[in-house]
Structures are given as structure tokens and as C-alpha cells.
Amino acid sequence: MRKRILLFALLFLVFKFSFAQSNNPGPQLGKSKIQDIISAMTLEDKVYLLVGVGNANQKDPILGDKTTIIDGAAGRTWAIPRLGITPTILTDGPAGLRINSHPAGLDFTRYCTAFPTATALACTWNPELIENVGKAMGNEVLEYGSDVLLAPAINIHRNPLCGRNFEYYSEDPYVVGKMAAAMIRGIQSNGVGTSLKHFATNNIETNRTSINAVMSQRALREIYLRGFEMAVKEAQPWTVMSSYNRLNGYYTSENRDLITTILRDEWKFEGMVMTDWGGGADAVAQMNAGNDVLMPGNHQRQELLFALKNKALDEKVIDQNVERVLTFIMKTPHFRAYPFSNKPDLVAHALVSKNAASEGMVLLKNDNNALPFKNIKKVALFGKTSYRFIAGGTGSGEVNYEKAVTIKDGFVNNGFKVAKELEDVYTQFIDTITKTAKNNRRDKFLVDFHPEFALSKDQINAQVKNSDIAIITIGRNAGEGSDRKVADFSLTNTEKQLIKDVSDAFHAANKKVIVVLNIGGVIATADWRNDPDAILLAWQSGQEGANAIVDILKGKVNPSGKLTMSFPMAYSDVPSAKTFPGDPETNPINALYNEGIYVGYRYYATFKVPTAYEFGYGLSYTKFDYSNLQLSSTTFQNEMVAKVTVKNTGKTEGKEVVELYLSAPNVEIEKPVQELKAFAKTRSLKPGESQELTFVLNPRSLASFWSGISSWVAEKGQYEVRIGSSSNDIRLKAKFDLPSTIVVEKEHPVIYPNRKLKELSTLQ
Ligand code: BGC
């Protein structure tokens, strides 16, 4: 009897337990408190959540479900169905969504729109336009079933040879911050996330996973962190991606001063931090730094479990990281079970891409109004790139689009005749290049990296008679993992000869020559720019870039882009030329940022080094008059408002970018002669029309970082507001006073250089 009772009692308990199990599945993400979810997680659960799934296309050991994976995604976070924790999908990149267009096992295509690269977008100087591009990009992320776009990328154009400059916006941190914030707002308006990358100081691709960037606190704060700071404060990206490199001795992903003290405590970043793919070396240090997720993830799971079990890592630390990851997951489309369509509106997005492309192109030269075209019907297209447009760069910044319009197509689409013999010569040349490398994954880029075809003078002369104008396209490509060489910065002899011979031949017949630059980074211009009549810097402007080029050449669109970087007279003029990529030169360990804050125009203007085309420069088909600069006061209190009137005094409708530079007094802290502190772009003004533009300066606009006291300080004295059409072309000036020095913000004294620097100074 006793035995029976015991058996019944046992059965009752088992029944009760399983009933409770089926009716109460335990805490569920989104329904229960995050702390309850964390309490219900095993150590393994936590560690798996903090380490990516590995190869994103590999079968999920828990879910085993292919439908949660997007072919070509960069990575994925772990799912724990028991607790309602969904997986999240992370996809590149800055010029549009990068996934495979022919997904394995599915019978439809998933093409994405190739938008202009970040450099091209920044040259629009139009954050509103960038926000719209972000909206379209983010919509593709959402509708193809991803959760996060690994963008924007915002490292500084410190040196023109950095292989990834095309993915980045500018040499100026204020431009970077404004563009990045706009892009984040646009993408995230779709309810998908961004990953602001690569945090921080990833300005060199050579030895990118080990190189140590050494710089002063001032250069770090003013130049390399400022854009991140603005983007975080203005737009709160869902995630930040730490960089591969070391900074002042430590891997950025292992540096608590950077990821917790600066990013979270000082800037109030609320999101999650992930590593770059395989970045850093010590998983425990990364966890302690506050780098929540290790991507793409794999071996670190064992390392972390080992450390936790041996008390080398405190569980409280990972609980905090887990909390941030769970908070992030709850925002994602996967968590909302968003029914993605696989059908974003690619036609509408192509138009967004084209409009952005035409606004980011920069007219560098236009002698005797060679442009826009007048009575041009037949064009002679020189250069292989005229027949093979470079929409974007290589690597994770690539986009798998359906088709990039070529410049030749662009002319044909617009009703022009294209010189046939020349087309045949180049088409054959391109065919030969591609045929020699069948089935090679890099097929797509072979033509870009192949030397230019050398045309004979006779071949060139033969084109003059039957064409109204010559267009020469010069192309360049680059991508992550390596930097460009000085030889790539320079034009080759074949390219220079081509420009010279075509110019001689066409000029002899009184016909114009236009050079189009389809490039991702700065190249030499000073030694050939005298030959052609006009130069259009078209950048790598996405799949519709070539249509946009033709719109500008024929005058349908008035160019309004301006440079967000300087074009030096020679590579040797670049302030970091002697220290790039690093030391020792062939296999660098350290990169000494000896130029300090004097990057780009801050250097050229302060040290009076002439440039070929200065920061902020760009021509238009019309003229703009600047007048009536008014400051809200002659003494700075909490804010200063500047107003200026811009009038279109030419004959063509167009937009104008207006730049506000500030010249600050040198008291205790030395200053560059001027720095960009605000900018604005007019609406499209008809001839005779005016617009008043408003700029606002706040105390931070006046401040420099004083390393000695780790503070942003606005020094007392006289400031000059300079309103320019470029950094050299200052049209209006006005002065105001700051009666006493203000410590605007006090920061933590962290991240000191770990090697001796010989920092450039005006006081030397
Ligand atoms: C790149 C990142 C990219 C990641 C994932 C890395 O090699 O540096 O920018 O987002 O790969 O593809």
C-alpha cells in the first residue's frame, strides 16, 4: 500500500511538472523581464549568444532551418527558441545590401541596388539626400529579410592610398558626422539596424588586423573620434562595429576605455557593440571591454566558457553584455516576425541611386564653358572604363546588382551616337581580358585592374573627323585588405599619353576633350589636367552613375557636388605620405600619426601647401553671389547664428553648397588656420533667385581638445566666421568675440600614445 501511495505521489508530481511545462514555457523574450530571461539562461546559452554563429550560411545547430539564413549574409547571432530569442542576420554594406543574387535552392533572384559609394554620397553635401538613400537601402535590408546593415563606414580619409576610402565619407570629421547621422536615420527609419564602423582609427588596410595606430589624444578626439561621436549622439545606431587595428597599443575591441568609457559613458551610446570579422585576439578582454558580440564567432565559445568556469571572467560582465544583445534583438524584424516580401521596389531605388549619383559628381575643370554640350551628336569614347563602368569598390563594400549602366549605354540611352570603330576596339580588348580568366570569382573586377589599352596616334586621329567631342574615362578600383600604391595614385604613362594624344588631335580640329574620372579615391591630376578642356569627377557612383554622367555632360543636371577631401599636387605633399602605411614600411607594425590634427585641408591651409583642388571645391554651370552675412551677435554666449544670402546670378538653374569655416584664436592651444563648422546647400535656384541660409554654432563648434586637461576648451579671443564656396574661395567674413575661456566638456583622460610621436606643430 505504502509503495502504491508513493508511486501515485510520484506520478502526480511528474504529471504536474509536465503540465506546468506545457502551459508555462518559462520566460520569453519580449513578454518577460530581461532579467528573468538572463536568469533562465545557462552559461552556455549566454556564451553562445555573445559569439556569432560562425559562417553565416552554415546550418544552425539549434534551428537547423535554412529559411532563417540569407545566402551571402555576413553573419548571424545565435537563437535560443526555448526563451523566445530569435536569430538576427547581419549584412554588408555601405553602398547597399550585399547578399547573393542567386540564392541557393530558391528559384528567384535577389538583386540589390548599387547606390553611389560613401565618398560620392558625401560630395553631395546633402544630408537630406543621404537620408533618402538610407531609406531606400534600409528598405532592401527589410524586404530581403535581414536585420542589420553593416554600415555606415566612417573612417577618415587620412591618406589617399587607403584601400577602403571609397567606403568612407571625408577627410573632415564634421562632414563625416553629419553624413553618417543622416544615413543612420534613413536606414533605421525602416525598423532595421545599422552598424557604425570601424570604431576606430581604421585608416590603413595594410596589416589591418594587427597594425597599431599611434596618435595623440587631441588627434584622436578631434579628427578620428569626432565623426563617431556626432553620429552616435545625433542618430543612435543600433550597433557599433569595433575595428581590426590596435590603437595606442591595444586592440580597439579589447579597449574598455574606448568602448565603455568613451562610447557608452561619455557619448551615451545605448546599443550593442560587435567586433569586425575575426577582429582582436583575446575574447575575455573583449567581453570585459564591453564588446558584446564576437563576429563571425566560433572558437571563442570554448575560451569564454573556460574563463567563466575558472573565474577568469566574471559572469556579471557577460550578463551585462547579454542584456544589451537581448535589448537589440527585441528591435529586429526577425523578432517581430516581419513577413519580408523579397520584392523591394528596385525600379524606385534605381532612381534614388541615379539622383544621388548626379548630385555627388564634382566638376573639377570647365575651361571656356566646354560643358555642358552644345550641338553634340556623336561622341568618341576613349578608355576601357567607358565600356565597363565601375559602380563601386571591392570587398564587403560590394553590391550584387543586376546591371550597371556603362557610359556608352548612358550616351546611347540619351540618343547620342557613339563612335563604332572605337567601341569595337575596346570591346574586343575587354573580351580578351575576361576570356583569359573564365570562372574566376574576381572576373567582375579584372577589367578594372587591368592596364589601359594603348591606342596609336593613327587610331586616335581617325576618330576626330566623325565625332563632335572626345570623352576619356579613367578608372580605378580598390578594396579592403590592401592599400593602393603610389603607382595607382598616379596615372600610368599609357593613360597620360592617351589624354595628351586625344587632346592634341581633337583640339587641332577645334573640338573639345572631356575627362571623366570613375574612381573611388583621390588620384594625381596636376600633371595632366592642362590637356583636356573639362574634368568631371564621377566617383564610383553606383549602378546608375553612367546615366547621371550623361545628364551632367549634356546639361540636364547642373553639377553641384563639391570635394569632401583635398586633391594634392603630388602624393609627396600628403601630410602622412612619409608614415603611410607604417613602420617598417614593408610589413608595418606601428603607424605613427605624426601629422596630428593636420589632416587634409587643416594641413594644406595651415602650412600653405598648394593643392590641385582644395577641400570644398566644385564648379557649376552657373554663378552664385554671396551677400549679407549677419551674425546674431558680436559676442558669443551660448550660440551664434550666421545668416547669408545666396543668389544665382548666372543663366542656369542650380544648387550651391555653402561652407562655414571658423578661424579660432591661438592662446594655449594651437589651431589650424580654419576648420569647417557648418555647411548648407541651397534648393535648386532659378537664375535671379536667392535663398537665405542659416548656420548655427554652439560652444563645441568653438572648442579644441586640450589633451593636458582632457577637455574641450573654447579659448577666449576673437573668432572669424568665413563663408566660402570652397576652403580657398572665402567670399564673406565676420568676427565675434568670446570674452572668457570656456571648458565646454570635460572628458576622461584615456588612450595615451604608447610610442613617441614627433607631432607636427606650427610652433616648431
Ligand atoms: C570588414 C567589415 C565587414 C565584415 C563583414 C570585414 O572584413 O572589415 O567592414 O562588415 O567583414 O563582411
Side-chain angles (χ1 to χ4, degrees):
M1 184 69 186
R2 249 185 106 194
K3 264 191 186 164
R4 258 197 197 168
I5 292 172
L6 266 175
L7 190 69
F8 267 109
L10 199 70
L11 278 173
F12 174 72
L13 277 176
V14 168
F15 177 76
K16 189 170 181 238
F17 183 69
S18 39
F19 183 79
Q21 276 275 338
S22 58
N23 268 332
N24 175 11
Q28 293 290 299
L29 188 63
K31 294 191 185 121
S32 320
K33 287 195 193 122
I34 287 199
Q35 285 315 324
D36 294 342
I37 306 276
I38 298 176
S39 305
M41 289 172 88
T42 63
L43 266 194
E44 280 75 8
D45 285 337
K46 292 176 186 175
V47 163
Y48 273 56
L49 189 68
L50 298 176
V51 179
V53 173
N55 176 355
N57 293 326
Q58 128 194 336
K59 215 171 167 184
D60 190 310
I62 289 188
L63 293 179
D65 180 2
K66 260 271 180 191
T67 58
T68 58
I69 302 162
I70 307 179
D71 215 2
R76 191 152 48 98
T77 59
W78 195 253
I80 308 175
R82 184 182 99 246
L83 300 171
I85 301 175
T86 44
T88 68
I89 306 213
L90 316 171
T91 35
D92 285 306
L97 183 64
R98 176 179 176 248
I99 54 176
N100 289 344
S101 37
H102 301 284
L106 298 176
D107 58 359
F108 57 87
T109 51
R110 275 190 190 137
Y111 288 114
C112 299
T113 308
F115 293 93
T117 54
T119 304
L121 288 178
C123 288
T124 65
W125 295 71
N126 188 343
E128 208 180 304
L129 173 146
I130 291 179
E131 193 167 331
N132 276 331
V133 169
K135 277 185 191 154
M137 259 187 208
N139 178 260
E140 295 189 14
V141 176
L142 181 71
E143 292 305 338
Y144 279 135
S146 180
D147 295 292
V148 172
L149 190 71
L150 301 170
I154 66 162
N155 298 100
I156 289 284
H157 290 184
R158 170 179 176 245
N159 184 293
L161 301 187
C162 172
R164 293 188 88 164
N165 276 356
F166 73 96
E167 295 187 61
Y168 307 147
Y169 292 117
S170 173
E171 70 186 22
D172 179 81
Y174 182 81
V175 172
V176 167
K178 284 289 168 200
M179 303 308 169
M183 182 57 94
I184 294 166
R185 280 196 299 270
I187 296 170
Q188 292 191 170
S189 69
N190 291 279
V192 298
T194 53
S195 195
L196 185 65
K197 67 188 189 183
H198 310 89
F199 188 60
T201 65
N202 183 176
N203 312 96
I204 301 160
E205 284 300 294
T206 309
N207 289 351
R208 65 173 173 164
T209 56
S210 61
I211 197 152
N212 179 32
V214 187
M215 67 194 72
S216 66
Q217 288 162 295
R218 181 175 182 193
L220 176 65
R221 295 278 187 167
E222 285 188 17
I223 306 294
Y224 298 99
L225 293 186
R226 183 76 181 116
F228 284 99
E229 178 183 2
M230 287 172 68
V232 165
K233 288 181 174 172
E234 289 181 26
Q236 276 292 346
W238 287 11
T239 81
V240 163
M241 187 191 293
S242 51
S243 59
Y244 278 131
N245 54 284
R246 292 180 167 95
L247 161 64
N248 287 345
Y250 298 96
Y251 275 120
T252 55
S253 59
E254 299 174 9
N255 191 338
R256 192 172 168 85
D257 288 339
L258 183 69
I259 290 179
T260 296
T261 309
I262 293 183
L263 179 64
R264 292 204 166 99
D265 299 346
E266 290 181 5
W267 303 347
K268 312 287 177 238
F269 173 61
E270 294 160 6
M272 169 189 110
V273 177
M274 67 179 88
T275 61
D276 198 345
W277 269 229
D282 180 342
V284 173
Q286 290 171 318
M287 286 296 125
N288 281 324
N291 195 123
D292 309 307
V293 174
L294 311 183
M295 291 304 297
N298 241 334
H299 65 276
Q300 296 105 327
R301 289 179 192 141
Q302 307 317 323
E303 269 171 61
L304 292 179
L305 280 173
F306 184 83
L308 283 160
K309 285 177 184 157
N310 291 291
K311 308 278 177 244
L313 173 61
D314 191 338
E315 196 174 343
K316 284 202 198 92
V317 168
I318 64 161
D319 282 354
Q320 231 187 2
N321 300 358
V322 165
E323 183 179 343
R324 286 191 288 252
V325 179
L326 293 177
T327 310
F328 149 75
I329 290 176
M330 284 196 289
K331 297 196 247 182
T332 59
H334 259 91
F335 186 75
R336 303 197 296 273
Y338 178 78
F340 55 93
S341 65
N342 273 322
K343 286 195 187 94
D345 188 346
L346 296 178
V347 175
H349 295 174
L351 192 62
V352 172
S353 184
K354 179 180 163 187
N355 290 340
S358 48
E359 217 170 302
M361 293 184 185
V362 185
L363 185 62
L364 295 179
K365 175 177 179 177
N366 194 19
D367 277 7
N368 304 316
N369 299 324
L371 290 174
F373 286 177
K374 291 154 205 87
N375 303 320
I376 304 290
K377 294 195 174 60
K378 186 163 177 188
V379 295
L381 300 178
F382 295 90
K384 60 184 163 71
T385 317
S386 297
Y387 303 88
R388 188 91 173 196
F389 191 68
I390 306 174
T394 74
S396 59
E398 226 184 296
V399 178
N400 295 317
Y401 49 85
E402 184 169 13
K403 187 175 186 296
V405 179
T406 66
I407 294 181
K408 187 219 104 188
D409 293 342
F411 277 109
V412 173
N413 293 346
N414 279 276
F416 290 89
K417 284 212 163 64
V418 169
K420 183 76 173 70
E421 321 84 271
L422 211 49
E423 182 185 348
D424 290 345
V425 169
Y426 280 107
T427 311
Q428 208 175 31
F429 175 59
I430 289 171
D431 278 354
T432 319
I433 301 170
T434 45
K435 268 185 202 135
T436 50
K438 271 271 161 312
N439 302 324
N440 180 338
R441 212 206 141 260
R442 283 177 63 83
D443 249 5
K444 205 164 148 189
F445 301 111
L446 276 173
V447 179
D448 307 355
F449 290 102
H450 197 281
E452 186 54 270
F453 184 68
L455 283 177
S456 70
K457 282 195 184 167
D458 287 346
Q459 280 174 303
I460 292 169
N461 288 333
Q463 300 307 318
V464 181
K465 194 162 36 70
N466 296 322
S467 309
D468 305 321
I469 198 162
I471 314 288
I472 309 167
T473 311
I474 299 294
R476 285 286 182 282
N477 211 342
E480 70 186 84
S482 58
D483 291 307
R484 296 163 60 211
K485 301 278 175 272
V486 180
D488 191 72
F489 173 86
S490 313
L491 262 57
T492 62
N493 288 338
T494 309
E495 288 169 327
K496 283 192 273 194
Q497 198 64 48
L498 179 71
I499 295 175
K500 178 158 193 330
D501 291 346
V502 171
S503 300
D504 287 350
F506 277 74
H507 288 160
N510 224 359
K511 294 180 181 177
K512 307 280 188 201
V513 177
I514 316 295
V515 170
V516 172
L517 301 178
N518 182 194
I519 57 179
V522 170
I523 60 167
T525 51
D527 55 345
W528 57 267
R529 64 175 166 169
N530 288 340
D531 294 332
D533 302 277
I535 306 172
L536 179 66
L537 172 54
W539 294 120
Q540 294 173 341
S541 34
Q543 63 185 52
E544 290 287 324
N547 277 333
I549 289 173
V550 178
D551 280 352
I552 290 181
L553 298 183
K554 70 176 195 181
K556 186 174 170 213
V557 171
N558 186 353
S560 63
K562 291 192 180 178
L563 298 177
T564 57
M565 74 299 291
S566 316
F567 272 58
M569 290 297 284
Y571 176 72
S572 52
D573 289 342
V574 174
S576 56
K578 287 202 184 76
T579 54
F580 189 91
D583 185 28
E585 205 183 324
T586 46
N587 191 16
I589 297 167
N590 295 300
L592 303 180
Y593 284 40
N594 278 329
E595 71 285 354
I597 56 162
Y598 294 108
V599 175
Y601 71 89
R602 285 172 169 77
Y603 169 74
Y604 300 114
T606 308
F607 291 86
K608 298 193 171 53
V609 177
T611 50
Y613 300 108
E614 74 274 11
F615 177 86
Y617 171 88
L619 300 173
S620 163
Y621 295 154
T622 191
K623 284 198 173 59
F624 294 96
D625 180 59
Y626 294 32
S627 64
N628 204 20
L629 169 59
Q630 286 178 325
L631 300 186
S632 52
S633 165
T634 48
T635 309
F636 188 88
Q637 264 131 15
N638 289 324
E639 193 179 90
M640 174 71 62
V641 178
K643 290 192 172 176
V644 67
T645 304
V646 178
K647 182 174 183 187
N648 183 347
T649 54
K651 297 197 178 73
T652 313
E653 180 173 345
K655 298 181 182 179
E656 169 77 337
V657 172
V658 180
E659 301 149 37
L660 185 153
Y661 296 88
L662 193 65
S663 166
N666 286 293
V667 186
E668 299 294 334
I669 317 171
E670 73 172 269
K671 311 276 166 44
V673 292
Q674 60 183 30
E675 293 180 280
L676 184 83
K677 296 295 177 183
F679 62 84
K681 192 167 191 172
T682 67
R683 62 175 187 271
S684 197
L685 297 176
K686 298 213 161 58
E689 237 188 310
S690 314
Q691 185 181 350
E692 187 179 65
L693 298 175
T694 303
F695 308 85
V696 180
L697 300 177
N698 56 37
R700 265 301 280 277
S701 319
L702 276 57
S704 300
F705 192 78
W706 189 347
S707 299
I709 57 166
S710 259
S711 300
W712 292 95
V713 178
E715 291 191 302
K716 69 172 178 195
Q718 196 167 63
Y719 288 73
E720 187 172 71
V721 170
R722 300 173 175 182
I723 303 291
S725 176
S726 82
S727 57
N728 285 357
D729 185 5
I730 302 296
R731 304 281 182 86
L732 301 167
K733 292 179 178 178
K735 293 193 165 90
F736 66 84
D737 284 310
L738 179 67
S740 52
T741 294
I742 327 173
V743 176
V744 180
E745 265 167 68
K746 199 154 178 45
E747 313 287 25
H748 296 83
V750 288
I751 319 190
Y752 294 86
N754 70 325
R755 299 199 104 67
K756 206 167 161 44
L757 290 168
K758 288 193 201 116
E759 248 198 340
L760 186 61
S761 161
T762 46
L763 309 172
Q764 278 156 0

